[in-house]
Amino acid sequence: MEAEPPRVARYDVNAAMIRNWAEAHDDYNPIYVDPEAARATGRRDVICPPAMISTWVMSGYRRYREVQRLRAEGAIEDFAYSRLLALLDDAGFTSVVATNVEQEYFAELHPGDHVTAYFTIESISPFKKTGLGHGCFITLLKNYVNDVGDTLVEERFRLLRFNPNSQETHS
């Protein structure tokens, strides 16, 4: 089921943000920051580090604050993921932890490319006991595409939504 409306990047892929990412991660791969090094490998320009894909469609801190405000007010946005999280909140499953991510890369990103992500709720596990408490695992399938709709990256992002008050204590 479609989780939410497509997320369209606010900015084109650009060399400045790629450089910031590479420096923040101490990644010295020259094809991320040096056009001549990238061209020496047959590329037309620098490329975006593959793991950076999700940063292009992040909605920013204002949107985060808006979502937290809506959640505090009990408001539910009209899309499946918001409705699912509201149901889990109401049942006491208010905490979340990311458990893993799997990505498959199909194409490189270059400055000037524009990214859109389509999110699907792929699966919801049965409720189970975990070390953090009783909860369920939600898997989101994210399909990142370029301007013409070609798939760049396919990602499975799994998180645990759990009830923090259900954690068993061990003495």
Side-chain angles (χ1 to χ4, degrees):
M1 170 179 291
E2 182 182 78
E4 61 184 45
R7 287 191 191 180
V8 179
R10 296 186 294 168
Y11 309 102
D12 287 348
V13 173
N14 63 78
M17 293 305 293
I18 292 170
R19 179 175 293 280
N20 287 342
W21 172 278
E23 288 180 8
H25 291 88
D26 265 344
D27 191 330
Y28 296 98
N29 189 332
I31 65 172
Y32 299 152
V33 296
D34 181 349
E36 288 181 26
R39 283 192 287 277
T41 66
R43 293 170 170 89
R44 69 176 190 261
D45 198 352
V46 297
I47 64 165
C48 176
M52 190 179 177
I53 188 69
S54 65
T55 63
W56 300 110
V57 297
M58 287 181 173
S59 50
Y61 191 61
R62 285 187 183 144
R63 173 67 178 145
Y64 171 80
R65 288 191 321 237
E66 176 188 10
V67 168
Q68 296 310 308
R69 180 187 55 77
L70 291 169
R71 187 175 175 201
E73 294 171 359
I76 303 168
E77 294 178 287
D78 190 25
F79 49 83
Y81 193 55
S82 182
R83 291 189 298 272
L84 172 61
L85 296 183
L87 287 171
L88 290 168
D89 278 349
D90 289 347
F93 299 92
T94 57
S95 294
V96 65
V97 64
T99 61
N100 70 305
V101 64
E102 301 164 5
Q103 293 179 327
E104 185 174 358
Y105 305 104
F106 296 97
E108 295 176 336
L109 282 123
H110 296 88
D113 289 341
H114 201 82
V115 179
T116 299
Y118 296 89
F119 290 46
T120 303
I121 300 170
E122 185 176 63
S123 65
I124 304 168
S125 77
F127 286 92
K128 46 187 85 188
K129 289 182 186 178
T130 74
L132 295 173
H134 195 234
C136 66
F137 292 89
I138 301 168
T139 302
L140 298 174
L141 175 62
K142 301 177 183 184
N143 186 34
Y144 297 90
V145 302
N146 63 14
D147 304 51
V148 295
D150 296 330
T151 296
L152 301 164
V153 177
E154 191 173 273
E155 173 183 291
R156 283 185 172 74
F157 182 79
R158 195 164 293 108
L159 56 96
L160 170 65
R161 191 67 185 243
F162 64 98
N163 181 333
N165 300 317
S166 64
Q167 185 177 18
E168 294 180 17
T169 57
H170 301 285
S171 301

